[in-house]
Amino acid sequence: QGNRTAPSAPFPEGAQSRPAPLRPQALRKQFPAGTRVELVKMDDPQAPPVGTKGTVYGVDDIGNIMVAWDNSCGPSVTYGVDICRKLL
């Protein structure tokens, strides 16, 4: 019989995998204040346009990445729901 594993089931069409939850402390290390980010996806009617850049000014106690968007509008990035990428 050996060491066999079951094949992984594919995600339904259009579905995306969610990242593993991170504690706020880990997010603070990954996104320290001053980190530049770019918005990739945000499901919020008040979201800034995709591609908007901003500067992280903190991570709150529930893990929202607080960003000062360059266009001065928009909510925080909810980790695991919204997507932003770090700029180099």
Side-chain angles (χ1 to χ4, degrees):
Q1 317 289 354
N3 235 356
R4 296 178 9 169
T5 58
S8 60
F11 288 98
E13 187 174 329
Q16 295 180 357
S17 64
R18 301 236 177 198
L22 288 178
R23 293 186 196 173
Q25 300 96 319
L27 281 173
R28 288 181 185 115
K29 286 182 182 179
Q30 187 175 347
F31 294 96
T35 300
R36 293 287 291 165
V37 295
E38 179 179 8
L39 183 64
V40 175
K41 175 187 163 284
M42 183 180 282
D43 289 330
D44 188 303
Q46 296 180 0
V50 168
T52 299
K53 295 172 178 64
T55 304
V56 174
Y57 62 90
V59 174
D60 67 18
D61 290 338
I62 61 171
N64 291 317
I65 303 166
M66 300 178 296
V67 179
W69 298 108
D70 292 354
N71 66 356
S72 301
C73 73
S76 297
V77 175
T78 303
Y79 183 80
V81 175
D82 304 324
I83 301 171
C84 69
R85 68 179 185 92
K86 289 168 67 170
L87 299 173
L88 301 176

